[in-house]
Amino acid sequence: MTKIEIPQEHPRAESLRIREKLVKHFKSGVVTSAGLIAHGRGEAFDYILGEKTTKPALKAIEAAAATLLTAEHPVISVNGNVAALVSKDIVELSKITKARIEVNLFHRSSEREIAIKKLLEETEATEVFGVGEAASARIPEIGSERRRVDPKGILIADVVLVPLEDGDRTEALVQMGKKVIAIDLNPLSRTAQFATITIVDNIVRVIPTLIKMINKLRTKDKRKLDNIASSFNNEKNLGEAIELFHKRLAKLAKKGVYLPILEVEEL
Amino acid sequence: MTKIEIPQEHPRAESLRIREKLVKHFKSGVVTSAGLIAHGRGEAFDYILGEKTTKPALKAIEAAAATLLTAEHPVISVNGNVAALVSKDIVELSKITKARIEVNLFHRSSEREIAIKKLLEETEATEVFGVGEAASARIPEIGSERRRVDPKGILIADVVLVPLEDGDRTEALVQMGKKVIAIDLNPLSRTAQFATITIVDNIVRVIPTLIKMINKLRTKDKRKLDNIASSFNNEKNLGEAIELFHKRLAKLAKKGVYLPILEVEEL
């Protein structure tokens, strides 16, 4: 495949750079082919959304920050796409929240686990859970290899951040009594519907914003933080996110603006 | 990567089967990593659309059928995703319209060209244009390797079917005076906006429907066919397609129905 030069001024430069990053980590064994397809789905949603953090997303990020700050055992679940796109930010997030990082994959293989662990360690993760024999516990009601969790990680977590997650697993974690924070560009997905807090936004924008929000809220007392978390209504927030999607489509349609990213320009 | 079993009754079975097909041909060198991402984008649009051929799409297919039936030198441009998903149907379409099949790739390499040619020949293509030295002509105003065309194919074509195409190339072909029939799930893309006839639908549904339509219309006289083609208004049709997108989003939002496909369930 020809290496595509991305000119600085290209209107799609940022999106193309993200894509290049993913393709690079696909080659290194961190990302799967299914992960590439999933990324394309995300691109489409993000484009409709306008590729920016919306008000409902910001509200969800605030609730997520308060929830992480008041958690006893927060865990960040990491898969191939997450590691490829935001490993550095994930490590910083884990440090400021004392959250453990656990690798959890649908397509589990030793090679991939190790590649992801290595990537996280290169960005200065001090400990990575859930790799190899460490994932010795099982959570109920999930068919895939994702059921394998680390007894020192997801199994005992009260709050789990699951960026780019599947619906079955989100549901299973919620049924185990855990608070689940999901990041999903599709507000209509099962993940979005099942999670305690759903952030409808692109992970590359979410994690840095979440870090800022945590640093802003960390001086607040527990009561204030509990209040932020408990006053958040996920259903209502999702409704607002969905509303934004179709408002934006209507607006684009009216303006006749085209969305160049969504072309299949590089087949 | 674990092979995923797709149960017959799975609500997403058809979409997952298509995805498996693409991943298989990715491994065989027909499809690129960029092609996988592009497929994901298409999945998102198709899902919003309801994964069915809409009325505006059917109208565009009818206009496309009439245009192909009255063409002097119709050509079907084939890339990796097209070959992976519908090579058999493309060959049939080429036979009933006497259209030449030309391989035209953004990421051109001898290996890919040959893999695609081989796939088309396995599905009984008698001649495949645009491979290797045969793509000796250049069309103006395109930067990528896509500018290389076959002097016996796209260069002399009056009608070019470009499924899953990029905007630059569509524009260039139209500026050369050719009629361009595009298949693009995104009605807002530059391809969709530039093409003479844009079919906003999934290629796996379009090609079989187009074949049926051609067989239905082939007994009509030229005047009738010209009339069908000339009465088609692409701008108006695209407007209707866009309208359907946001109506469907509004409806889904209201029903609170989730769209399970759009989860990133296999990262």
Side-chain angles (χ1 to χ4, degrees):
Chain A
M1 196 171 93
T2 332
K3 166 91 181 147
I4 307 292
E5 287 291 327
I6 306 166
Q8 197 66 34
E9 69 284 6
H10 191 293
R12 311 276 342 116
E14 180 58 18
S15 175
L16 294 176
R17 264 193 295 269
I18 296 171
R19 205 187 290 171
E20 286 283 307
K21 212 168 171 178
L22 211 66
V23 170
K24 185 184 102 184
H25 288 295
F26 171 70
K27 286 170 190 158
S28 74
V30 163
V31 170
T32 63
S33 51
L36 291 180
I37 295 175
H39 183 74
R41 288 199 294 277
E43 279 187 356
F45 276 101
D46 200 17
Y47 214 87
I48 297 174
L49 204 56
E51 291 177 322
K52 56 175 196 280
T53 300
T54 62
K55 271 186 199 172
L58 206 61
K59 221 187 292 174
I61 289 171
E62 192 189 29
T67 303
L68 284 167
L69 281 169
T70 52
E72 295 274 325
H73 295 293
V75 170
I76 305 168
S77 179
V78 171
N79 64 22
N81 284 27
V82 173
L85 295 176
V86 287
S87 63
K88 199 159 173 270
D89 293 329
I90 287 289
V91 172
E92 189 183 342
L93 180 65
S94 109
K95 281 179 183 164
I96 63 170
T97 56
K98 311 248 183 294
R100 288 182 169 171
I101 295 174
E102 176 163 345
V103 175
N104 190 276
L105 308 176
F106 191 96
H107 297 295
R108 197 181 268 274
S109 76
S110 297
E111 293 75 19
R112 269 192 86 213
E113 284 180 351
I114 289 162
I116 292 169
K117 187 177 181 224
K118 206 179 136 218
L119 185 56
L120 287 162
E121 283 167 351
E122 276 166 15
T123 48
E124 296 179 15
T126 46
E127 197 168 6
V128 177
F129 292 81
V131 176
E133 291 308 308
S136 59
R138 299 287 180 276
I139 58 173
E141 295 176 63
I142 309 184
S144 79
E145 280 300 287
R146 275 202 152 163
R147 89 180 90 176
R148 289 175 54 185
V149 297
D150 194 316
K152 290 188 283 182
I154 288 170
L155 191 72
I156 56 158
D158 56 341
V159 174
V160 191
L161 174 64
V162 285
L164 319 182
E165 187 51 71
D166 74 272
D168 284 349
R169 183 146 172 268
T170 304
E171 188 182 12
L173 293 172
V174 168
Q175 280 181 352
M176 285 171 82
K178 301 179 193 302
K179 289 178 189 164
V180 176
I181 302 165
I183 301 171
D184 193 331
L185 274 159
N186 174 17
L188 298 156
S189 74
R190 292 199 311 142
T191 304
Q193 312 275 324
F194 283 132
T196 319
I197 299 169
T198 307
I199 304 167
V200 180
D201 198 6
N202 191 325
I203 189 170
V204 303
R205 293 187 299 269
V206 170
I207 308 295
T209 310
L210 185 56
I211 290 169
K212 275 186 211 152
M213 191 68 88
I214 285 166
N215 287 330
K216 188 180 143 197
L217 292 182
R218 65 161 58 265
T219 54
K220 310 281 178 196
D221 60 31
K222 193 180 175 303
R223 210 171 122 186
K224 169 81 181 150
L225 294 172
D226 284 342
N227 194 35
I228 290 171
S230 65
S231 67
F232 178 80
N233 181 332
N234 204 44
E235 208 171 309
K236 186 168 165 282
N237 198 261
L238 276 175
E240 289 169 20
I242 296 165
E243 186 68 21
L244 282 180
F245 269 97
H246 70 88
K247 268 195 183 149
R248 171 132 161 116
L249 259 184
K251 198 175 151 193
L252 287 167
K254 212 170 153 190
K255 278 169 84 179
V257 170
Y258 55 78
L259 299 176
I261 192 196
L262 296 165
E263 302 168 36
V264 282
E265 61 193 3
E266 289 154 22
L267 297 185
Chain B
M1 197 170 92
T2 331
K3 167 92 181 145
I4 307 292
E5 286 291 327
I6 306 167
Q8 197 66 36
E9 69 282 6
H10 191 292
R12 312 277 340 116
E14 179 58 19
S15 174
L16 293 176
R17 264 192 296 268
I18 296 171
R19 204 187 291 171
E20 285 283 306
K21 212 167 171 180
L22 211 67
V23 169
K24 186 183 101 184
H25 288 294
F26 171 70
K27 286 170 191 158
S28 74
V30 163
V31 170
T32 63
S33 51
L36 291 179
I37 295 176
H39 183 74
R41 289 199 294 278
E43 279 187 356
F45 275 101
D46 200 17
Y47 213 87
I48 297 174
L49 203 57
E51 292 177 323
K52 57 175 194 284
T53 300
T54 63
K55 271 186 200 171
L58 207 60
K59 222 188 290 175
I61 290 171
E62 192 190 27
T67 303
L68 283 166
L69 280 169
T70 52
E72 294 273 327
H73 294 293
V75 170
I76 305 169
S77 178
V78 171
N79 64 23
N81 284 27
V82 173
L85 295 176
V86 286
S87 63
K88 199 161 172 269
D89 292 329
I90 286 290
V91 172
E92 189 182 343
L93 179 66
S94 107
K95 282 179 183 164
I96 63 169
T97 55
K98 311 249 182 292
R100 289 181 169 173
I101 295 175
E102 176 163 345
V103 176
N104 189 275
L105 308 176
F106 191 97
H107 299 296
R108 197 181 267 274
S109 76
S110 297
E111 293 76 18
R112 270 192 85 213
E113 284 179 351
I114 289 162
I116 292 169
K117 188 176 180 226
K118 204 179 136 222
L119 185 56
L120 287 162
E121 284 168 351
E122 276 167 16
T123 47
E124 295 178 15
T126 45
E127 197 169 5
V128 177
F129 292 81
V131 174
E133 293 308 310
S136 58
R138 299 288 179 274
I139 58 173
E141 296 177 61
I142 308 184
S144 79
E145 280 300 288
R146 276 203 151 163
R147 89 181 91 177
R148 290 175 53 187
V149 296
D150 195 315
K152 289 188 283 181
I154 289 170
L155 191 72
I156 56 158
D158 55 342
V159 174
V160 191
L161 173 64
V162 286
L164 319 182
E165 189 50 71
D166 75 90
D168 285 349
R169 183 145 172 269
T170 303
E171 189 182 11
L173 292 172
V174 168
Q175 279 182 353
M176 286 172 80
K178 300 179 194 303
K179 289 179 189 161
V180 175
I181 302 166
I183 301 171
D184 193 332
L185 272 159
N186 173 17
L188 298 156
S189 73
R190 292 199 311 141
T191 304
Q193 312 275 325
F194 283 131
T196 320
I197 298 168
T198 307
I199 304 166
V200 180
D201 198 5
N202 191 325
I203 190 171
V204 303
R205 293 188 300 269
V206 171
I207 307 295
T209 310
L210 184 56
I211 289 169
K212 274 186 212 152
M213 191 69 87
I214 285 166
N215 286 330
K216 189 181 143 196
L217 292 183
R218 64 162 62 264
T219 54
K220 310 280 178 196
D221 60 30
K222 195 180 174 306
R223 209 169 125 187
K224 169 80 182 152
L225 294 173
D226 284 342
N227 194 37
I228 291 173
S230 64
S231 67
F232 178 79
N233 181 332
N234 203 44
E235 209 172 308
K236 187 168 165 279
N237 198 261
L238 276 175
E240 289 170 18
I242 296 165
E243 187 67 22
L244 282 180
F245 268 98
H246 68 88
K247 266 194 185 151
R248 172 133 160 115
L249 261 184
K251 198 175 151 193
L252 287 167
K254 212 170 154 191
K255 278 168 84 178
V257 170
Y258 55 76
L259 299 177
I261 192 198
L262 296 162
E263 302 169 34
V264 282
E265 60 193 5
E266 288 153 22
L267 299 182

